[in-house]
Amino acid sequence: MRRLVTLVFVAALVVVMAASFSVSAAGGRVIVMNQQEPNMINPYLDSMQATFDVSQLTWGGMLELDEKWELIPSLALEVPSLQNGGISKDGLTYTWKLRKDVKWSDGAPFTSEDIKFTWEYIMNDNLNVVSRTGFEEITAIETPDKYTVVMKLKQIHVPMLYVWTGPTIVPKHILSKSKNLNEDSFNMNPVGLGPYVLDKWEHGSYLIFKKNPNYWRKGYPKLDQIVYKPIPDENTAFTQLATKEIDVYQTFPTNQYKQVKALTHVNVTETASTYWEHININCKSPLLTDVRVRQALRYATDLKKLQETVYEGLWPVAVSDQGSPFWKNAKLKPYQFDLKKAGQLLDQAGWKLGNDGMRYKNGKKLTLVISTTAGRIPREMTEQILQQDWKKIGVDLVIKNYDAGKFFATYDEGGILDTGDYDLAVFAWGSSPDPDNYTLWHSAQFPPAGQNNVFWSNKRVDELIITSRKELDVNKRKAMIDEIQQIMWEEVPMIPTFYWVNLDAFNKNIKNIKPNGTSSGNLWNAYEWELK
Amino acid sequence: MGRYIFRRILQAIPLLIIITIVVFALMQLAPGGPLALYKQNPKVTGEDLARISRNLGLDKPVPIQYFNWLKRLVTGDWGTSFSSSRPVLELIKERMAATFTLMFSSFVISLLIGLPIGILSALKRYSIVDYIVTFFSFFGLSMPVFWFALMLQLLFGLKLGWLPTAGMKDPFIDFELWDRVRHLILPAAVLSLTSLASWSRFMRSSLLEVIGQDYIRTARAKGLSEGKVIRKHALKNALIPVVTIIAIAIPGLFSGAVITETVFAWPGMGRLYFDSLGRLDYPVLMGVLTVTAFLVVIFNLVADIIYGILDPRISYD
């Protein structure tokens, strides 16, 4: 028996020793990591960032959103505007001029018919499209010739250009023959207009993309291959970056910042994101209908402390729901942390301090419930800090967290947010570069109709949201968006806390990295990526 | 025996159906629902949700949803995933091979090391060897899997650079046995540690119990050599309870290990199940759980049959 044990150990030793002869291959390829595996390569049917990333590699759009969040032409020759006549004076007709000589990855010609088909595809009731926002505003698409598209709109819809930005166009010659659009093999291996095509997908392990031989930008893409590798565990991802088993570590957590920075072979980029962290205040809750109570809570929220202890000082403090430098109301300042002022506001609202140091009104104690998704450590830390600070002004804060499924569930499924079964809720919203937040703040959008799950209604804001959606003059629209932010700053239907910053690490040998904090992601310009 | 097996298989059918009903009901009771995922996108409207819910068949009453699922299953159609719209059977098939490779390797390692050291420590009870084995068994049992995995990754992947830290294969090597083995070593080592430790404990206590029996004393009194006593009389009897435990562990070979698979980015069933649970992808969850339930039922039967072979006192007629 002893001999057997020795034998096993010796065998194991030999195996481990032999493993040291590892081979490292170099060439024109980059390995990009993401925590999640894409569900498919079709951004219309799935809202995961990973799905969006791989669609960026393989699909095309008429416009692209660059790293400065500006629209640039891609398959369209120019960005339609009032000045160049691409948008009619009444804002109801969009005319697009398309690039000629563009081919699909299978060699078929790309024409205006594909744009028209894309709209019909999205409006097909049998397709499980995640959102039709924007497409619903189109009443007809005309194709006077192969390279001209004319869109007619129901009403003015300012974000129309974004609807056609990034991975958006589907091939008519493939999908018009499809028997079941939801289960079509196109969704897993698309014929596209992007710089790369899928070569191989080992489910659960990685996706390998190779050059699209028919790509329209001559001389691109530069890399031969891009590998997209899902790694669910953050510690594993860090080790893989350190061992150079991956070249790009996307959106790593702030608590790994120092560790990743210490690696000499990578560049760390910090990119402003469209996501913003906030604390929802349930305006329907009887304890929170008084605006003075909501303001008091905002004064008692120590954003400096949260920034230092929870986000390593990396995330900038937010003042409103608009993160983009252009749309943010520059006059607004964050509330200064001031417990005295918070106490006074609560006094005015009739919440008096009792002998136990807590506040009471008509014999009722000021007990509030704060909720978030269990397991998100930064958010749980936020709750604990608030709990301690708010106790000092006599507010009893009770923490009650839920599984993400329950927290975000729909109204019909009994979701905590949508049914309003909370007082305060910590989470984030992702905005698009366009400032329209109709679904979040308009009073017609209380769940289940929309996502106004702070249950806040303000006549002036309703009016501003509707008129700003129809304002083609960008400066006039900016004034309206500023006013919405101003009103929300005073009314406090939610406490904006931080704008997210995406932390990404890239191997230093990759050139032309232009990280993009919108859903366009880091791969939007992968056609330009090159190895030094 | 044949009649017994036939009867047991017949009994398994209603049992499996009951299991699927319970599982389906439990999934519905889970908080939230499959549409929660879409809700994190502020562009999604109530109308969008209603349309998706209709297309996925979620607007129908739960019992109807179950019968539709069962009806399709009988015809061999396991449904399609809510999140990827791919056939469930295809998802399970592509994950099962990976899981089986990993689990089977760790199973073999645990058997080859766990049982011998269990026997050794029983025979040398209260010796230095026994204490060392006991110490390491408890160490293995109480070690947090993810921590041990990370330590191995740091040591063999980062510091020594001998082994890849995660994944099942090198993306640029089509198939090479050596490449597969290198990727397998760390996760298999982590996974075998726990079962190795517990099996060696079982083997030890089971053998100790048998050694104390009268028939062992008789065998010794007959003048048999100690080696023969152990091999012929003690071991065979001591293996009976161990075999049951091992046979019941076999279905686990297919269902995978969530933590190990996650830490090592292994493309197995555990991760498929865990990811699907996060999004309440009902068809995939039902598929994975049904397969697991089926295997548990089958291997329980197998354990009973082996029992009968090992122990002639047990008869099934």
Side-chain angles (χ1 to χ4, degrees), chain A residues 1-2 4 8 15-16 18-23 29 31 37 39-40 46-48 125-133 136 182-183 188 200 202-206 208 225 227 230-233 235-236 239-240 242-243 245 403 405-406 408-410 413 418 429-430 439-440 448-449 451, chain B residues 31-49 51-52 54-56 80 83-86 94-95 112-113 116-117 120 124 150 153-154 156-158 161-166 168-172 174 178 181-182 185 261-267 271 279:
Chain A
M1 198 51 63
R2 201 168 287 166
L4 181 69
V8 169
V15 167
V16 171
S20 54
F21 303 102
S22 55
V23 211
R29 65 184 171 219
I31 304 179
E37 180 174 16
N39 277 322
M40 55 178 92
D46 184 49
S47 47
M48 241 199 251
D125 270 333
N126 296 319
L127 189 73
N128 296 339
V129 190
V130 174
S131 165
R132 284 175 175 175
T133 305
E136 290 169 320
N182 292 316
E183 293 170 25
M188 302 311 288
K200 202 157 133 206
E202 289 278 350
H203 290 276
S205 295
Y206 50 80
I208 301 181
Q225 281 176 319
V227 181
I231 302 174
D233 187 87
N235 294 306
T236 307
T239 318
Q240 292 235 308
T243 56
E245 284 167 276
D403 172 75
K406 176 79 179 168
F408 289 111
T410 60
E413 292 164 349
D418 274 11
W429 278 123
T439 49
L440 301 188
Q451 310 236 49
Chain B
L35 296 179
L37 205 69
Y38 301 107
K39 286 288 320 282
Q40 297 178 43
N41 177 347
K43 271 193 202 158
V44 172
T45 62
E47 282 164 46
D48 287 325
L49 291 173
R51 179 172 38 79
I52 297 169
R54 206 166 47 236
N55 283 350
L56 296 179
T80 52
S83 46
S84 69
S85 297
R86 297 179 60 219
E94 70 196 13
R95 297 304 183 99
L112 288 185
I113 302 179
I117 62 173
L120 188 73
K124 312 262 176 187
L150 287 174
Q153 282 178 337
L154 286 181
F156 291 100
L158 192 56
W162 289 354
L163 294 172
T165 52
M168 188 169 75
K169 66 188 276 280
D170 186 317
F172 310 109
D174 233 9
W178 178 229
V181 172
R182 289 179 38 174
I185 294 173
E261 288 180 359
T262 303
V263 175
F264 288 103
W266 194 266
R271 250 173 82 203
R279 351 183 149 105

Side-chain angles (χ1 to χ4, degrees), chain B residues 289-311:
Chain B
L289 290 171
T290 307
V291 169
T292 314
F294 177 77
L295 291 170
V296 169
V297 170
I298 291 299
F299 280 98
N300 265 305
L301 176 60
V302 170
D304 286 347
I305 293 168
I306 295 178
Y307 232 78
I309 295 168
L310 282 176
D311 188 347

